[in-house]
Structure formats: structure tokens, C-alpha cells
Amino acid sequence: SSVTGVQDVCSSDLVGTEFFSFMGFDSLAVGAGGKLYRQYVSSDSRYGFGADVGAIGNWYLNQPVLDAFHIGFSVLNILSTPMIWSNTGDQGVLPLNVFVGAKADLLDQNLSLYVNNAIEGIAGSAEYHLDESLTLRGGMDTLSRPFFGVGLFLPNIAGLENKNYSLRVDYAM
């Protein structure tokens, strides 16, 4: 039998910053990162490097219903090296992925509406904060596949050295 897998050996945010009142946005956050992957089958392996970039533009509107609007994009593996098997010379590259999305914050930021490209088509979703510790989520993609979830936030949990920690648990179906 052989063991097959992909391992994220190292990933890192290389650089990121935020600009305020820039290019028509109230704030614009930009960043770049990189990752090194190892794929292995039995004792043979190959490595690949990928670089990612992204940006999120924000408008803080403070209207009676609409609090803020955000748009963002990310390009994964905009630069990547070939991954070459040492025993056969076969090669491949990490796939180029482009993600684009928008978010509207409403009702004192208790309700968030999302739209973004999904693996197949467009996805729309909503997130409602019942209170500071409980969030309900739901949505659907263009293939009519619904998804639901709940988020639970537990602050001030006693931990090591008498320090307080927070725990967030998210479940999605």
C-alpha cells in the first residue's frame, strides 16, 4: 500500500497594509502571502511554491439600515513554481484561483449579506448575530445547494497561568 497526501509545509503573510481615504474607499486593505507545499506518494515527493495577493475595499456608510459595504478579491497562486516528481520527471503547478466577493453590513452590523463566486457559479449567504455570543448562518449557491451553520463565541475562559482565553466554535452543514 502507498501513502498519498498533500502537506502545507509553510505558509506566511509576507506583506500587508491598509490605506485610509484612498482611491474612493474609506479604507483599502491589501496584502500578499506565500506558501510551500509538499505532495507525496509513498516515498516519492515533490514541492511547489505559490504566491497570493488580495485586497478589500470598505465604505462605512452609517445610513439608517446600511452600515457598511465591502468588496474584495484574492488571486491564489498568481506565481507558482512547477512541482516535479523526482522519479518520473512529471510535473504540475498549483492551480490559479480567483475569488471575488461583496458584503453588506446592515442593522447596526447585526446582519451581514454576502455574494461571491463559488467553485461552480455564484453563492449568496447571510449571517445574523443574535447576540455577542451566537451567530446563525445560511445560504445557497447557483446549483441550489443550501448550507446552514451556527457560531458560538465563549469569552473569558480560564486557562493556563490564570489568563483568560476566548473560544469560537463554528459548525456548518
Side-chain angles (χ1 to χ4, degrees), residues 113-148:
L113 303 176
Y114 302 87
V115 63
N116 60 280
N117 63 318
I119 293 173
E120 296 179 7
I122 304 291
S125 60
E127 181 175 80
Y128 186 74
H129 302 283
L130 291 172
D131 61 34
E132 292 180 8
S133 61
L134 184 61
T135 302
L136 299 177
R137 298 179 184 93
M140 185 172 290
D141 62 16
T142 52
L143 297 177
S144 299
R145 294 182 293 203
F147 45 92
F148 304 97

Side-chain angles (χ1 to χ4, degrees), residues 99-111:
F99 297 102
V100 179
K103 173 186 172 188
D105 292 323
L106 303 127
L107 307 173
D108 292 327
Q109 297 187 3
N110 286 316
L111 175 64

Side-chain angles (χ1 to χ4, degrees), residues 61-79:
L61 305 170
N62 297 319
Q63 297 297 317
V65 175
L66 181 61
D67 304 313
F69 186 75
H70 317 272
I71 60 169
F73 79 92
S74 61
V75 182
L76 306 182
N77 304 313
I78 193 165
L79 298 173

Side-chain angles (χ1 to χ4, degrees), residues 4-118:
T4 303
V6 175
Q7 177 183 23
D8 181 358
V9 176
C10 176
S11 60
S12 173
D13 295 329
L14 297 175
V15 64
T17 192
E18 188 169 9
F19 301 97
F20 297 95
S21 299
F22 185 73
M23 295 178 57
F25 295 103
D26 291 329
S27 70
L28 178 66
V30 296
K35 59 191 166 281
L36 176 65
Y37 276 94
R38 174 180 175 231
Q39 183 179 24
Y40 55 90
V41 175
S42 199
S43 63
D44 195 20
S45 64
R46 63 185 184 171
Y47 290 88
F49 171 79
D52 310 330
V53 297
I56 300 174
N58 306 291
W59 291 281
Y60 304 106
L61 305 170
N62 297 319
Q63 297 297 317
V65 175
L66 181 61
D67 304 313
F69 186 75
H70 317 272
I71 60 169
F73 79 92
S74 61
V75 182
L76 306 182
N77 304 313
I78 193 165
L79 298 173
S80 82
T81 60
M83 296 172 44
I84 302 170
W85 291 107
S86 58
N87 65 348
T88 64
D90 291 340
Q91 67 179 1
V93 293
L94 296 171
L96 178 69
N97 293 308
V98 178
F99 297 102
V100 179
K103 173 186 172 188
D105 292 323
L106 303 127
L107 307 173
D108 292 327
Q109 297 187 3
N110 286 316
L111 175 64
S112 296
L113 303 176
Y114 302 87
V115 63
N116 60 280
N117 63 318

